[in-house]
Amino acid sequence: MLTKNFTHVNAANQPTMVDVGAKTPTRRVARARCRVVLGAELLGRVQAGEMPSHKGPVIHTAILAGIMGAKRTSELIPLCHPLGLDDCKVTIEPDGPDALRVECTAVVTGRTGVEMEALTGATVAALTIYDMCKAFSHDITIDSVQLVEKTGGKRDFLRPENS
């Protein structure tokens, strides 16, 4: 049985922003990832740069979109604190014969964590890949969106590698 309470609900059961004013600023890092399953043929075309787009190369455009998404997380997720990220990196690499692995690492020195920024960055990058490739196939999936690790704050988290 869960004994914790939701952090974004006050005693009157109303939505509220978490007051982080009394917390000491610390360096906080979060890394999130997801997979974009394109299929072998489409993956090959993306990797070879054979997909002309006015937006630019698929991978480069997705990296930029992921960083932009992470920076704007508080505009997308209700009650997220706006954070001035110290750093944000998005990497996109092959993951098997038919997919790409998208990872976003967000860093801030602050009073609240950057898990949502890392998750948003990875997801927005994946959505950008989908958007740019959907003309070739709608049989694209985005799966396994997950927080991989976080440090700083009350407790650290590290997901076992094979989960």
Side-chain angles (χ1 to χ4, degrees), residues 39-54:
E41 181 182 345
L42 188 51
L43 175 61
R45 294 183 72 182
V46 168
Q47 289 179 294
E50 295 174 3
M51 300 177 60
S53 165
H54 293 296

PDB file of all heavy atoms in Angstrom, residues 39-54:
ATOM      1  N   GLY A  39      11.833   0.722 -38.120  1.00  0.00           N
ATOM      2  CA  GLY A  39      11.951  -0.333 -39.114  1.00  0.00           C
ATOM      3  C   GLY A  39      13.326  -0.225 -39.757  1.00  0.00           C
ATOM      4  O   GLY A  39      13.917   0.860 -39.823  1.00  0.00           O
ATOM      5  N   ALA A  40      13.847  -1.348 -40.210  1.00  0.00           N
ATOM      6  CA  ALA A  40      15.225  -1.395 -40.720  1.00  0.00           C
ATOM      7  C   ALA A  40      15.438  -0.495 -41.923  1.00  0.00           C
ATOM      8  O   ALA A  40      16.442   0.217 -42.013  1.00  0.00           O
ATOM      9  CB  ALA A  40      15.605  -2.840 -41.047  1.00  0.00           C
ATOM     10  N   GLU A  41      14.519  -0.510 -42.876  1.00  0.00           N
ATOM     11  CA  GLU A  41      14.707   0.282 -44.098  1.00  0.00           C
ATOM     12  C   GLU A  41      14.704   1.780 -43.809  1.00  0.00           C
ATOM     13  O   GLU A  41      15.593   2.506 -44.248  1.00  0.00           O
ATOM     14  CB  GLU A  41      13.608  -0.042 -45.114  1.00  0.00           C
ATOM     15  CG  GLU A  41      13.788   0.735 -46.411  1.00  0.00           C
ATOM     16  CD  GLU A  41      12.682   0.457 -47.417  1.00  0.00           C
ATOM     17  OE1 GLU A  41      11.933  -0.516 -47.251  1.00  0.00           O
ATOM     18  OE2 GLU A  41      12.580   1.240 -48.372  1.00  0.00           O
ATOM     19  N   LEU A  42      13.735   2.239 -43.030  1.00  0.00           N
ATOM     20  CA  LEU A  42      13.659   3.661 -42.703  1.00  0.00           C
ATOM     21  C   LEU A  42      14.836   4.087 -41.832  1.00  0.00           C
ATOM     22  O   LEU A  42      15.405   5.166 -42.047  1.00  0.00           O
ATOM     23  CB  LEU A  42      12.330   3.969 -42.019  1.00  0.00           C
ATOM     24  CG  LEU A  42      11.984   5.433 -41.778  1.00  0.00           C
ATOM     25  CD1 LEU A  42      12.138   6.273 -43.040  1.00  0.00           C
ATOM     26  CD2 LEU A  42      10.568   5.536 -41.224  1.00  0.00           C
ATOM     27  N   LEU A  43      15.243   3.253 -40.886  1.00  0.00           N
ATOM     28  CA  LEU A  43      16.419   3.561 -40.070  1.00  0.00           C
ATOM     29  C   LEU A  43      17.638   3.754 -40.954  1.00  0.00           C
ATOM     30  O   LEU A  43      18.401   4.702 -40.783  1.00  0.00           O
ATOM     31  CB  LEU A  43      16.684   2.466 -39.036  1.00  0.00           C
ATOM     32  CG  LEU A  43      17.961   2.639 -38.204  1.00  0.00           C
ATOM     33  CD1 LEU A  43      17.937   3.915 -37.381  1.00  0.00           C
ATOM     34  CD2 LEU A  43      18.187   1.430 -37.320  1.00  0.00           C
ATOM     35  N   GLY A  44      17.825   2.869 -41.918  1.00  0.00           N
ATOM     36  CA  GLY A  44      18.955   2.992 -42.842  1.00  0.00           C
ATOM     37  C   GLY A  44      18.934   4.299 -43.609  1.00  0.00           C
ATOM     38  O   GLY A  44      19.974   4.938 -43.791  1.00  0.00           O
ATOM     39  N   ARG A  45      17.761   4.718 -44.035  1.00  0.00           N
ATOM     40  CA  ARG A  45      17.640   5.974 -44.773  1.00  0.00           C
ATOM     41  C   ARG A  45      17.958   7.174 -43.879  1.00  0.00           C
ATOM     42  O   ARG A  45      18.615   8.121 -44.306  1.00  0.00           O
ATOM     43  CB  ARG A  45      16.253   6.101 -45.378  1.00  0.00           C
ATOM     44  CG  ARG A  45      15.990   5.062 -46.465  1.00  0.00           C
ATOM     45  CD  ARG A  45      14.653   5.233 -47.098  1.00  0.00           C
ATOM     46  NE  ARG A  45      14.711   6.432 -47.939  1.00  0.00           N
ATOM     47  CZ  ARG A  45      13.675   6.890 -48.623  1.00  0.00           C
ATOM     48  NH1 ARG A  45      12.518   6.279 -48.561  1.00  0.00           N
ATOM     49  NH2 ARG A  45      13.798   7.976 -49.365  1.00  0.00           N
ATOM     50  N   VAL A  46      17.477   7.133 -42.636  1.00  0.00           N
ATOM     51  CA  VAL A  46      17.750   8.220 -41.697  1.00  0.00           C
ATOM     52  C   VAL A  46      19.245   8.303 -41.421  1.00  0.00           C
ATOM     53  O   VAL A  46      19.847   9.382 -41.465  1.00  0.00           O
ATOM     54  CB  VAL A  46      16.965   8.032 -40.378  1.00  0.00           C
ATOM     55  CG1 VAL A  46      17.470   8.982 -39.298  1.00  0.00           C
ATOM     56  CG2 VAL A  46      15.474   8.225 -40.614  1.00  0.00           C
ATOM     57  N   GLN A  47      19.876   7.169 -41.168  1.00  0.00           N
ATOM     58  CA  GLN A  47      21.307   7.151 -40.863  1.00  0.00           C
ATOM     59  C   GLN A  47      22.147   7.605 -42.053  1.00  0.00           C
ATOM     60  O   GLN A  47      23.188   8.231 -41.879  1.00  0.00           O
ATOM     61  CB  GLN A  47      21.740   5.756 -40.429  1.00  0.00           C
ATOM     62  CG  GLN A  47      21.233   5.380 -39.063  1.00  0.00           C
ATOM     63  CD  GLN A  47      21.674   3.982 -38.690  1.00  0.00           C
ATOM     64  OE1 GLN A  47      21.258   3.016 -39.310  1.00  0.00           O
ATOM     65  NE2 GLN A  47      22.514   3.904 -37.680  1.00  0.00           N
ATOM     66  N   ALA A  48      21.702   7.291 -43.253  1.00  0.00           N
ATOM     67  CA  ALA A  48      22.456   7.662 -44.456  1.00  0.00           C
ATOM     68  C   ALA A  48      22.197   9.108 -44.863  1.00  0.00           C
ATOM     69  O   ALA A  48      22.838   9.604 -45.797  1.00  0.00           O
ATOM     70  CB  ALA A  48      22.092   6.713 -45.605  1.00  0.00           C
ATOM     71  N   GLY A  49      21.275   9.782 -44.189  1.00  0.00           N
ATOM     72  CA  GLY A  49      20.965  11.167 -44.541  1.00  0.00           C
ATOM     73  C   GLY A  49      20.215  11.285 -45.851  1.00  0.00           C
ATOM     74  O   GLY A  49      20.289  12.311 -46.523  1.00  0.00           O
ATOM     75  N   GLU A  50      19.483  10.242 -46.237  1.00  0.00           N
ATOM     76  CA  GLU A  50      18.803  10.213 -47.529  1.00  0.00           C
ATOM     77  C   GLU A  50      17.411  10.823 -47.486  1.00  0.00           C
ATOM     78  O   GLU A  50      16.629  10.632 -48.408  1.00  0.00           O
ATOM     79  CB  GLU A  50      18.686   8.767 -48.017  1.00  0.00           C
ATOM     80  CG  GLU A  50      20.004   8.107 -48.325  1.00  0.00           C
ATOM     81  CD  GLU A  50      19.841   6.633 -48.669  1.00  0.00           C
ATOM     82  OE1 GLU A  50      18.702   6.140 -48.717  1.00  0.00           O
ATOM     83  OE2 GLU A  50      20.873   5.986 -48.877  1.00  0.00           O
ATOM     84  N   MET A  51      17.090  11.521 -46.434  1.00  0.00           N
ATOM     85  CA  MET A  51      15.740  12.064 -46.310  1.00  0.00           C
ATOM     86  C   MET A  51      15.802  13.580 -46.324  1.00  0.00           C
ATOM     87  O   MET A  51      15.919  14.219 -45.284  1.00  0.00           O
ATOM     88  CB  MET A  51      15.089  11.541 -45.029  1.00  0.00           C
ATOM     89  CG  MET A  51      15.012  10.035 -45.037  1.00  0.00           C
ATOM     90  SD  MET A  51      14.347   9.348 -43.546  1.00  0.00           S
ATOM     91  CE  MET A  51      12.739  10.085 -43.532  1.00  0.00           C
ATOM     92  N   PRO A  52      15.736  14.183 -47.498  1.00  0.00           N
ATOM     93  CA  PRO A  52      15.837  15.643 -47.570  1.00  0.00           C
ATOM     94  C   PRO A  52      14.665  16.312 -46.855  1.00  0.00           C
ATOM     95  O   PRO A  52      13.534  15.843 -46.928  1.00  0.00           O
ATOM     96  CB  PRO A  52      15.805  15.927 -49.071  1.00  0.00           C
ATOM     97  CG  PRO A  52      15.157  14.732 -49.682  1.00  0.00           C
ATOM     98  CD  PRO A  52      15.474  13.571 -48.789  1.00  0.00           C
ATOM     99  N   SER A  53      14.955  17.369 -46.135  1.00  0.00           N
ATOM    100  CA  SER A  53      13.929  18.092 -45.399  1.00  0.00           C
ATOM    101  C   SER A  53      14.325  19.554 -45.307  1.00  0.00           C
ATOM    102  O   SER A  53      15.508  19.873 -45.140  1.00  0.00           O
ATOM    103  CB  SER A  53      13.803  17.501 -43.994  1.00  0.00           C
ATOM    104  OG  SER A  53      13.082  18.367 -43.163  1.00  0.00           O
ATOM    105  N   HIS A  54      13.328  20.415 -45.397  1.00  0.00           N
ATOM    106  CA  HIS A  54      13.609  21.842 -45.218  1.00  0.00           C
ATOM    107  C   HIS A  54      13.972  22.159 -43.768  1.00  0.00           C
ATOM    108  O   HIS A  54      14.537  23.210 -43.483  1.00  0.00           O
ATOM    109  CB  HIS A  54      12.409  22.685 -45.659  1.00  0.00           C
ATOM    110  CG  HIS A  54      12.152  22.614 -47.132  1.00  0.00           C
ATOM    111  ND1 HIS A  54      13.049  23.088 -48.060  1.00  0.00           N
ATOM    112  CD2 HIS A  54      11.123  22.098 -47.838  1.00  0.00           C
ATOM    113  CE1 HIS A  54      12.584  22.887 -49.276  1.00  0.00           C
ATOM    114  NE2 HIS A  54      11.410  22.276 -49.170  1.00  0.00           N
TER     115      HIS A  54
END
